Amino acid sequence: MGSLGGAMAVPCGRYTSEPPPVLTATTREQQVVEERCLKLFLAHLDADGASVCRSAVPFDREKHIAYLLKGLEQLPSGFQALDASRPWLCYWIVHALDLLGHKLPEELASRTVAFLKRCQDPSGGYCGGPHPGQIPHLAPTYAAVNALVIIGTDEAYASIDRQRLYEFLRRRKDDVLGCFTMHEDGEVDVRGAYTAFAVASLTNVLTDELVSGTPEWIARCQTYEGGLGGEPGLEAHGGYAFCGAAALSITGHLGLLRLDALLRWLASCQKRLEGGFHGRTNKLVDGCYSFWQGATFAVVAPALNARTLSLAAP
C-alpha cells in the first residue's frame, strides 16, 4: 500500500490485506486512514515491535479536569454552533468529570443546576437553551436529566418537574405505532424511544402506558445485517443499535432482538488495523462508535449471561 493524500509512506502491507482491484473513493479514504493510524502505532511500539507500548501514551487526568471545568463556565466562540445543544455540553462535561472521579465544587454545581432549570419548558421537557427561545426536545431533555442526576444534590433533583416531564413524554409518543417524535412535529427514530425511556426510568415515571407497543416497534428496526436502523426499513447504524438495545434493556424486552445476529454485526464493525469501530458498512472508523458499539456489547451481556445460565440449568 503506497502513500496517499500526502501522508508519509508506511509499510501497511505487513498489517493489512491487499487493496481491492477496483479503487473507489471509499477504499482510498480507508487506505489513508489506515496509513495515518499505522504511523501513530509504529511510533509507540514496544522494543519487540509486536504491540503498542501503553506507557508511552499517558493519560493526563489533571489537564483533562482543568479543561472540563473551564468549559463548564465558558467556551470559546467556536462553540456557538452548538447554541441549541447547551444541556448536552453540560452533560458531556459533568459526565466526563464524574468518570474522572472529580466532584463538582458546590457553588459550580448549583450554578449548573440553575442554568439547566432555565432550559426547562413550563409545559415539560428541556430545550436546547434557556426558555423562552427554543422548544422542548427529547435530546436535550435526556442530556439535562442525566446531568442533574450525576450532580445528584437535593437541589438538582428538586429542579426537575416530574409531572410536566411525564406529560411531555406522553405527548411525544405515537400510541398507534409505538414510536416517539423528538419534538412537536419532529422526526421519528429509535433515539426517541431510548431517550424517553432513559429519562422516565431515571425520574421514576416509566409507566406501562409509556412503554406499551414501543418494544415491538424497536424490534422491527433490526435489519437483516443484525444491527438496528433509525426506524424500520433503514440500514443498521451503530448509534441506533445502542439506542434500540438500551431502550429494550430498560424495559426488560431485550429478548425481542435476534441477539446472535446483533453480536455478529457489532463484531464485524471493528476495524482490523485501527482497532476502533465504524458505524455503518463501508464507513470509516470513528471514535464515537467505539462507544456506541462497545456499549451495546455491555447492554446485551446480561441477557446473554441469563441465556447461558438457563441452558446450563439441569
Side-chain angles (χ1 to χ4, degrees), residues 267-297:
S268 75
C269 290
Q270 187 171 26
K271 306 299 286 186
R272 179 169 175 263
L273 184 142
E274 304 94 299
F277 290 79
H278 65 202
R280 291 182 288 155
T281 301
N282 285 335
K283 293 295 183 179
L284 299 174
V285 68
D286 187 320
C288 74
Y289 292 112
S290 291
F291 169 77
W292 296 122
Q293 264 92 338
T296 307
F297 282 109

PDB file of all heavy atoms in Angstrom, residues 267-297:
ATOM      1  N   ALA A 267     -19.459  -7.092  16.056  1.00  0.00           N
ATOM      2  CA  ALA A 267     -18.071  -7.522  15.906  1.00  0.00           C
ATOM      3  C   ALA A 267     -17.536  -7.194  14.514  1.00  0.00           C
ATOM      4  O   ALA A 267     -16.360  -6.833  14.360  1.00  0.00           O
ATOM      5  CB  ALA A 267     -17.960  -9.020  16.175  1.00  0.00           C
ATOM      6  N   SER A 268     -18.387  -7.295  13.503  1.00  0.00           N
ATOM      7  CA  SER A 268     -17.940  -7.016  12.130  1.00  0.00           C
ATOM      8  C   SER A 268     -17.631  -5.547  11.919  1.00  0.00           C
ATOM      9  O   SER A 268     -16.950  -5.189  10.950  1.00  0.00           O
ATOM     10  CB  SER A 268     -19.017  -7.455  11.131  1.00  0.00           C
ATOM     11  OG  SER A 268     -20.116  -6.554  11.119  1.00  0.00           O
ATOM     12  N   CYS A 269     -18.121  -4.692  12.808  1.00  0.00           N
ATOM     13  CA  CYS A 269     -17.874  -3.255  12.676  1.00  0.00           C
ATOM     14  C   CYS A 269     -16.510  -2.838  13.213  1.00  0.00           C
ATOM     15  O   CYS A 269     -16.104  -1.693  13.015  1.00  0.00           O
ATOM     16  CB  CYS A 269     -18.961  -2.465  13.401  1.00  0.00           C
ATOM     17  SG  CYS A 269     -20.581  -2.540  12.609  1.00  0.00           S
ATOM     18  N   GLN A 270     -15.818  -3.743  13.901  1.00  0.00           N
ATOM     19  CA  GLN A 270     -14.492  -3.392  14.406  1.00  0.00           C
ATOM     20  C   GLN A 270     -13.473  -3.486  13.282  1.00  0.00           C
ATOM     21  O   GLN A 270     -13.411  -4.476  12.567  1.00  0.00           O
ATOM     22  CB  GLN A 270     -14.075  -4.295  15.564  1.00  0.00           C
ATOM     23  CG  GLN A 270     -12.768  -3.838  16.216  1.00  0.00           C
ATOM     24  CD  GLN A 270     -12.459  -4.597  17.492  1.00  0.00           C
ATOM     25  OE1 GLN A 270     -12.895  -5.729  17.660  1.00  0.00           O
ATOM     26  NE2 GLN A 270     -11.717  -3.982  18.395  1.00  0.00           N
ATOM     27  N   LYS A 271     -12.668  -2.433  13.139  1.00  0.00           N
ATOM     28  CA  LYS A 271     -11.701  -2.372  12.048  1.00  0.00           C
ATOM     29  C   LYS A 271     -10.437  -3.132  12.412  1.00  0.00           C
ATOM     30  O   LYS A 271      -9.916  -3.017  13.523  1.00  0.00           O
ATOM     31  CB  LYS A 271     -11.370  -0.920  11.720  1.00  0.00           C
ATOM     32  CG  LYS A 271     -12.596  -0.058  11.430  1.00  0.00           C
ATOM     33  CD  LYS A 271     -13.362  -0.558  10.231  1.00  0.00           C
ATOM     34  CE  LYS A 271     -12.651  -0.253   8.935  1.00  0.00           C
ATOM     35  NZ  LYS A 271     -13.460  -0.625   7.755  1.00  0.00           N
ATOM     36  N   ARG A 272      -9.918  -3.865  11.454  1.00  0.00           N
ATOM     37  CA  ARG A 272      -8.816  -4.798  11.704  1.00  0.00           C
ATOM     38  C   ARG A 272      -7.540  -4.095  12.140  1.00  0.00           C
ATOM     39  O   ARG A 272      -6.865  -4.523  13.080  1.00  0.00           O
ATOM     40  CB  ARG A 272      -8.561  -5.606  10.424  1.00  0.00           C
ATOM     41  CG  ARG A 272      -7.416  -6.608  10.505  1.00  0.00           C
ATOM     42  CD  ARG A 272      -7.436  -7.514   9.290  1.00  0.00           C
ATOM     43  NE  ARG A 272      -6.299  -8.399   9.272  1.00  0.00           N
ATOM     44  CZ  ARG A 272      -5.187  -8.180   8.585  1.00  0.00           C
ATOM     45  NH1 ARG A 272      -5.094  -7.089   7.858  1.00  0.00           N
ATOM     46  NH2 ARG A 272      -4.194  -9.039   8.606  1.00  0.00           N
ATOM     47  N   LEU A 273      -7.182  -3.024  11.474  1.00  0.00           N
ATOM     48  CA  LEU A 273      -5.938  -2.340  11.824  1.00  0.00           C
ATOM     49  C   LEU A 273      -6.158  -1.292  12.913  1.00  0.00           C
ATOM     50  O   LEU A 273      -5.458  -1.275  13.920  1.00  0.00           O
ATOM     51  CB  LEU A 273      -5.336  -1.671  10.584  1.00  0.00           C
ATOM     52  CG  LEU A 273      -3.968  -0.988  10.822  1.00  0.00           C
ATOM     53  CD1 LEU A 273      -3.064  -1.185   9.627  1.00  0.00           C
ATOM     54  CD2 LEU A 273      -4.112   0.501  11.114  1.00  0.00           C
ATOM     55  N   GLU A 274      -7.166  -0.433  12.723  1.00  0.00           N
ATOM     56  CA  GLU A 274      -7.343   0.685  13.638  1.00  0.00           C
ATOM     57  C   GLU A 274      -7.755   0.236  15.041  1.00  0.00           C
ATOM     58  O   GLU A 274      -7.415   0.860  16.030  1.00  0.00           O
ATOM     59  CB  GLU A 274      -8.395   1.659  13.097  1.00  0.00           C
ATOM     60  CG  GLU A 274      -8.106   2.201  11.705  1.00  0.00           C
ATOM     61  CD  GLU A 274      -8.795   1.361  10.639  1.00  0.00           C
ATOM     62  OE1 GLU A 274      -8.485   0.154  10.550  1.00  0.00           O
ATOM     63  OE2 GLU A 274      -9.642   1.891   9.909  1.00  0.00           O
ATOM     64  N   GLY A 275      -8.526  -0.851  15.118  1.00  0.00           N
ATOM     65  CA  GLY A 275      -8.977  -1.342  16.418  1.00  0.00           C
ATOM     66  C   GLY A 275     -10.298  -0.750  16.850  1.00  0.00           C
ATOM     67  O   GLY A 275     -11.012  -1.349  17.648  1.00  0.00           O
ATOM     68  N   GLY A 276     -10.643   0.427  16.336  1.00  0.00           N
ATOM     69  CA  GLY A 276     -11.914   1.058  16.659  1.00  0.00           C
ATOM     70  C   GLY A 276     -13.030   0.518  15.781  1.00  0.00           C
ATOM     71  O   GLY A 276     -12.858  -0.473  15.059  1.00  0.00           O
ATOM     72  N   PHE A 277     -14.166   1.181  15.834  1.00  0.00           N
ATOM     73  CA  PHE A 277     -15.358   0.719  15.117  1.00  0.00           C
ATOM     74  C   PHE A 277     -15.832   1.770  14.111  1.00  0.00           C
ATOM     75  O   PHE A 277     -15.637   2.967  14.319  1.00  0.00           O
ATOM     76  CB  PHE A 277     -16.503   0.462  16.102  1.00  0.00           C
ATOM     77  CG  PHE A 277     -16.292  -0.730  16.991  1.00  0.00           C
ATOM     78  CD1 PHE A 277     -15.458  -0.646  18.101  1.00  0.00           C
ATOM     79  CD2 PHE A 277     -16.940  -1.927  16.742  1.00  0.00           C
ATOM     80  CE1 PHE A 277     -15.271  -1.739  18.939  1.00  0.00           C
ATOM     81  CE2 PHE A 277     -16.761  -3.018  17.571  1.00  0.00           C
ATOM     82  CZ  PHE A 277     -15.921  -2.930  18.667  1.00  0.00           C
ATOM     83  N   HIS A 278     -16.449   1.276  13.058  1.00  0.00           N
ATOM     84  CA  HIS A 278     -17.219   2.194  12.212  1.00  0.00           C
ATOM     85  C   HIS A 278     -18.694   2.013  12.539  1.00  0.00           C
ATOM     86  O   HIS A 278     -19.094   1.030  13.159  1.00  0.00           O
ATOM     87  CB  HIS A 278     -16.919   1.984  10.723  1.00  0.00           C
ATOM     88  CG  HIS A 278     -17.338   0.656  10.165  1.00  0.00           C
ATOM     89  ND1 HIS A 278     -16.791   0.118   9.027  1.00  0.00           N
ATOM     90  CD2 HIS A 278     -18.253  -0.259  10.571  1.00  0.00           C
ATOM     91  CE1 HIS A 278     -17.367  -1.042   8.754  1.00  0.00           C
ATOM     92  NE2 HIS A 278     -18.246  -1.289   9.681  1.00  0.00           N
ATOM     93  N   GLY A 279     -19.503   2.970  12.096  1.00  0.00           N
ATOM     94  CA  GLY A 279     -20.908   2.943  12.469  1.00  0.00           C
ATOM     95  C   GLY A 279     -21.812   2.283  11.453  1.00  0.00           C
ATOM     96  O   GLY A 279     -22.896   1.814  11.785  1.00  0.00           O
ATOM     97  N   ARG A 280     -21.364   2.231  10.194  1.00  0.00           N
ATOM     98  CA  ARG A 280     -22.162   1.637   9.127  1.00  0.00           C
ATOM     99  C   ARG A 280     -21.221   0.963   8.131  1.00  0.00           C
ATOM    100  O   ARG A 280     -20.026   1.286   8.074  1.00  0.00           O
ATOM    101  CB  ARG A 280     -23.002   2.704   8.403  1.00  0.00           C
ATOM    102  CG  ARG A 280     -24.114   3.289   9.215  1.00  0.00           C
ATOM    103  CD  ARG A 280     -24.907   4.299   8.392  1.00  0.00           C
ATOM    104  NE  ARG A 280     -24.151   5.524   8.174  1.00  0.00           N
ATOM    105  CZ  ARG A 280     -24.344   6.354   7.148  1.00  0.00           C
ATOM    106  NH1 ARG A 280     -25.252   6.057   6.228  1.00  0.00           N
ATOM    107  NH2 ARG A 280     -23.652   7.457   7.041  1.00  0.00           N
ATOM    108  N   THR A 281     -21.766   0.075   7.340  1.00  0.00           N
ATOM    109  CA  THR A 281     -20.974  -0.643   6.353  1.00  0.00           C
ATOM    110  C   THR A 281     -20.269   0.326   5.416  1.00  0.00           C
ATOM    111  O   THR A 281     -20.875   1.284   4.923  1.00  0.00           O
ATOM    112  CB  THR A 281     -21.882  -1.588   5.535  1.00  0.00           C
ATOM    113  OG1 THR A 281     -22.516  -2.490   6.440  1.00  0.00           O
ATOM    114  CG2 THR A 281     -21.073  -2.381   4.516  1.00  0.00           C
ATOM    115  N   ASN A 282     -18.964   0.063   5.194  1.00  0.00           N
ATOM    116  CA  ASN A 282     -18.127   0.853   4.277  1.00  0.00           C
ATOM    117  C   ASN A 282     -17.856   2.275   4.763  1.00  0.00           C
ATOM    118  O   ASN A 282     -17.448   3.128   3.972  1.00  0.00           O
ATOM    119  CB  ASN A 282     -18.729   0.907   2.871  1.00  0.00           C
ATOM    120  CG  ASN A 282     -18.543  -0.390   2.122  1.00  0.00           C
ATOM    121  OD1 ASN A 282     -17.623  -1.155   2.407  1.00  0.00           O
ATOM    122  ND2 ASN A 282     -19.408  -0.659   1.161  1.00  0.00           N
ATOM    123  N   LYS A 283     -18.051   2.540   6.037  1.00  0.00           N
ATOM    124  CA  LYS A 283     -17.724   3.845   6.596  1.00  0.00           C
ATOM    125  C   LYS A 283     -16.378   3.772   7.317  1.00  0.00           C
ATOM    126  O   LYS A 283     -15.872   2.691   7.634  1.00  0.00           O
ATOM    127  CB  LYS A 283     -18.811   4.309   7.558  1.00  0.00           C
ATOM    128  CG  LYS A 283     -20.144   4.596   6.883  1.00  0.00           C
ATOM    129  CD  LYS A 283     -20.037   5.768   5.927  1.00  0.00           C
ATOM    130  CE  LYS A 283     -21.373   6.105   5.311  1.00  0.00           C
ATOM    131  NZ  LYS A 283     -21.277   7.267   4.390  1.00  0.00           N
ATOM    132  N   LEU A 284     -15.803   4.939   7.574  1.00  0.00           N
ATOM    133  CA  LEU A 284     -14.511   4.992   8.243  1.00  0.00           C
ATOM    134  C   LEU A 284     -14.669   4.824   9.754  1.00  0.00           C
ATOM    135  O   LEU A 284     -15.732   5.068  10.329  1.00  0.00           O
ATOM    136  CB  LEU A 284     -13.833   6.334   7.954  1.00  0.00           C
ATOM    137  CG  LEU A 284     -13.541   6.640   6.488  1.00  0.00           C
ATOM    138  CD1 LEU A 284     -12.995   8.061   6.346  1.00  0.00           C
ATOM    139  CD2 LEU A 284     -12.569   5.628   5.896  1.00  0.00           C
ATOM    140  N   VAL A 285     -13.576   4.404  10.385  1.00  0.00           N
ATOM    141  CA  VAL A 285     -13.556   4.297  11.842  1.00  0.00           C
ATOM    142  C   VAL A 285     -13.829   5.673  12.445  1.00  0.00           C
ATOM    143  O   VAL A 285     -13.459   6.697  11.890  1.00  0.00           O
ATOM    144  CB  VAL A 285     -12.186   3.751  12.311  1.00  0.00           C
ATOM    145  CG1 VAL A 285     -11.082   4.753  12.052  1.00  0.00           C
ATOM    146  CG2 VAL A 285     -12.223   3.348  13.760  1.00  0.00           C
ATOM    147  N   ASP A 286     -14.497   5.678  13.589  1.00  0.00           N
ATOM    148  CA  ASP A 286     -14.868   6.937  14.233  1.00  0.00           C
ATOM    149  C   ASP A 286     -14.865   6.694  15.736  1.00  0.00           C
ATOM    150  O   ASP A 286     -15.443   5.714  16.213  1.00  0.00           O
ATOM    151  CB  ASP A 286     -16.255   7.368  13.750  1.00  0.00           C
ATOM    152  CG  ASP A 286     -16.656   8.761  14.227  1.00  0.00           C
ATOM    153  OD1 ASP A 286     -16.360   9.100  15.387  1.00  0.00           O
ATOM    154  OD2 ASP A 286     -17.267   9.504  13.445  1.00  0.00           O
ATOM    155  N   GLY A 287     -14.245   7.596  16.483  1.00  0.00           N
ATOM    156  CA  GLY A 287     -14.141   7.409  17.926  1.00  0.00           C
ATOM    157  C   GLY A 287     -15.478   7.242  18.616  1.00  0.00           C
ATOM    158  O   GLY A 287     -15.595   6.472  19.577  1.00  0.00           O
ATOM    159  N   CYS A 288     -16.520   7.946  18.148  1.00  0.00           N
ATOM    160  CA  CYS A 288     -17.807   7.856  18.843  1.00  0.00           C
ATOM    161  C   CYS A 288     -18.388   6.454  18.755  1.00  0.00           C
ATOM    162  O   CYS A 288     -19.091   6.005  19.667  1.00  0.00           O
ATOM    163  CB  CYS A 288     -18.790   8.883  18.297  1.00  0.00           C
ATOM    164  SG  CYS A 288     -19.478   8.521  16.680  1.00  0.00           S
ATOM    165  N   TYR A 289     -18.067   5.723  17.677  1.00  0.00           N
ATOM    166  CA  TYR A 289     -18.643   4.392  17.530  1.00  0.00           C
ATOM    167  C   TYR A 289     -17.944   3.363  18.401  1.00  0.00           C
ATOM    168  O   TYR A 289     -18.489   2.276  18.625  1.00  0.00           O
ATOM    169  CB  TYR A 289     -18.644   3.975  16.059  1.00  0.00           C
ATOM    170  CG  TYR A 289     -19.605   4.813  15.253  1.00  0.00           C
ATOM    171  CD1 TYR A 289     -19.159   5.710  14.306  1.00  0.00           C
ATOM    172  CD2 TYR A 289     -20.974   4.736  15.500  1.00  0.00           C
ATOM    173  CE1 TYR A 289     -20.037   6.516  13.605  1.00  0.00           C
ATOM    174  CE2 TYR A 289     -21.862   5.532  14.801  1.00  0.00           C
ATOM    175  CZ  TYR A 289     -21.392   6.421  13.854  1.00  0.00           C
ATOM    176  OH  TYR A 289     -22.272   7.213  13.180  1.00  0.00           O
ATOM    177  N   SER A 290     -16.765   3.679  18.896  1.00  0.00           N
ATOM    178  CA  SER A 290     -16.171   2.796  19.892  1.00  0.00           C
ATOM    179  C   SER A 290     -17.031   2.790  21.148  1.00  0.00           C
ATOM    180  O   SER A 290     -17.073   1.807  21.876  1.00  0.00           O
ATOM    181  CB  SER A 290     -14.741   3.247  20.232  1.00  0.00           C
ATOM    182  OG  SER A 290     -13.880   3.026  19.135  1.00  0.00           O
ATOM    183  N   PHE A 291     -17.726   3.919  21.378  1.00  0.00           N
ATOM    184  CA  PHE A 291     -18.691   3.933  22.480  1.00  0.00           C
ATOM    185  C   PHE A 291     -19.979   3.237  22.074  1.00  0.00           C
ATOM    186  O   PHE A 291     -20.448   2.336  22.773  1.00  0.00           O
ATOM    187  CB  PHE A 291     -19.015   5.352  22.931  1.00  0.00           C
ATOM    188  CG  PHE A 291     -20.197   5.394  23.864  1.00  0.00           C
ATOM    189  CD1 PHE A 291     -20.052   5.029  25.190  1.00  0.00           C
ATOM    190  CD2 PHE A 291     -21.460   5.735  23.410  1.00  0.00           C
ATOM    191  CE1 PHE A 291     -21.141   5.014  26.048  1.00  0.00           C
ATOM    192  CE2 PHE A 291     -22.558   5.732  24.261  1.00  0.00           C
ATOM    193  CZ  PHE A 291     -22.402   5.375  25.582  1.00  0.00           C
ATOM    194  N   TRP A 292     -20.593   3.650  20.965  1.00  0.00           N
ATOM    195  CA  TRP A 292     -21.906   3.112  20.605  1.00  0.00           C
ATOM    196  C   TRP A 292     -21.871   1.593  20.486  1.00  0.00           C
ATOM    197  O   TRP A 292     -22.682   0.889  21.088  1.00  0.00           O
ATOM    198  CB  TRP A 292     -22.399   3.715  19.297  1.00  0.00           C
ATOM    199  CG  TRP A 292     -22.647   5.189  19.324  1.00  0.00           C
ATOM    200  CD1 TRP A 292     -22.067   6.138  18.512  1.00  0.00           C
ATOM    201  CD2 TRP A 292     -23.524   5.915  20.195  1.00  0.00           C
ATOM    202  NE1 TRP A 292     -22.528   7.386  18.833  1.00  0.00           N
ATOM    203  CE2 TRP A 292     -23.432   7.284  19.853  1.00  0.00           C
ATOM    204  CE3 TRP A 292     -24.387   5.535  21.218  1.00  0.00           C
ATOM    205  CZ2 TRP A 292     -24.162   8.266  20.502  1.00  0.00           C
ATOM    206  CZ3 TRP A 292     -25.111   6.513  21.867  1.00  0.00           C
ATOM    207  CH2 TRP A 292     -25.002   7.859  21.513  1.00  0.00           C
ATOM    208  N   GLN A 293     -20.915   1.077  19.706  1.00  0.00           N
ATOM    209  CA  GLN A 293     -20.845  -0.377  19.564  1.00  0.00           C
ATOM    210  C   GLN A 293     -20.324  -1.044  20.831  1.00  0.00           C
ATOM    211  O   GLN A 293     -20.835  -2.076  21.259  1.00  0.00           O
ATOM    212  CB  GLN A 293     -19.966  -0.748  18.364  1.00  0.00           C
ATOM    213  CG  GLN A 293     -20.739  -1.020  17.096  1.00  0.00           C
ATOM    214  CD  GLN A 293     -20.886   0.238  16.251  1.00  0.00           C
ATOM    215  OE1 GLN A 293     -20.791   1.339  16.755  1.00  0.00           O
ATOM    216  NE2 GLN A 293     -21.114   0.059  14.967  1.00  0.00           N
ATOM    217  N   GLY A 294     -19.297  -0.450  21.422  1.00  0.00           N
ATOM    218  CA  GLY A 294     -18.741  -1.043  22.636  1.00  0.00           C
ATOM    219  C   GLY A 294     -19.750  -1.107  23.758  1.00  0.00           C
ATOM    220  O   GLY A 294     -19.846  -2.113  24.483  1.00  0.00           O
ATOM    221  N   ALA A 295     -20.539  -0.051  23.917  1.00  0.00           N
ATOM    222  CA  ALA A 295     -21.543  -0.034  24.971  1.00  0.00           C
ATOM    223  C   ALA A 295     -22.666  -1.022  24.701  1.00  0.00           C
ATOM    224  O   ALA A 295     -23.261  -1.565  25.637  1.00  0.00           O
ATOM    225  CB  ALA A 295     -22.113   1.379  25.124  1.00  0.00           C
ATOM    226  N   THR A 296     -22.959  -1.273  23.426  1.00  0.00           N
ATOM    227  CA  THR A 296     -24.030  -2.215  23.102  1.00  0.00           C
ATOM    228  C   THR A 296     -23.654  -3.627  23.551  1.00  0.00           C
ATOM    229  O   THR A 296     -24.514  -4.386  24.004  1.00  0.00           O
ATOM    230  CB  THR A 296     -24.341  -2.188  21.594  1.00  0.00           C
ATOM    231  OG1 THR A 296     -24.597  -0.839  21.198  1.00  0.00           O
ATOM    232  CG2 THR A 296     -25.561  -3.036  21.270  1.00  0.00           C
ATOM    233  N   PHE A 297     -22.373  -3.991  23.430  1.00  0.00           N
ATOM    234  CA  PHE A 297     -21.931  -5.285  23.963  1.00  0.00           C
ATOM    235  C   PHE A 297     -22.282  -5.383  25.444  1.00  0.00           C
ATOM    236  O   PHE A 297     -22.782  -6.414  25.917  1.00  0.00           O
ATOM    237  CB  PHE A 297     -20.416  -5.449  23.790  1.00  0.00           C
ATOM    238  CG  PHE A 297     -19.971  -5.818  22.413  1.00  0.00           C
ATOM    239  CD1 PHE A 297     -19.310  -4.914  21.619  1.00  0.00           C
ATOM    240  CD2 PHE A 297     -20.211  -7.090  21.907  1.00  0.00           C
ATOM    241  CE1 PHE A 297     -18.883  -5.253  20.342  1.00  0.00           C
ATOM    242  CE2 PHE A 297     -19.787  -7.453  20.633  1.00  0.00           C
ATOM    243  CZ  PHE A 297     -19.124  -6.524  19.845  1.00  0.00           C
TER     244      PHE A 297
END
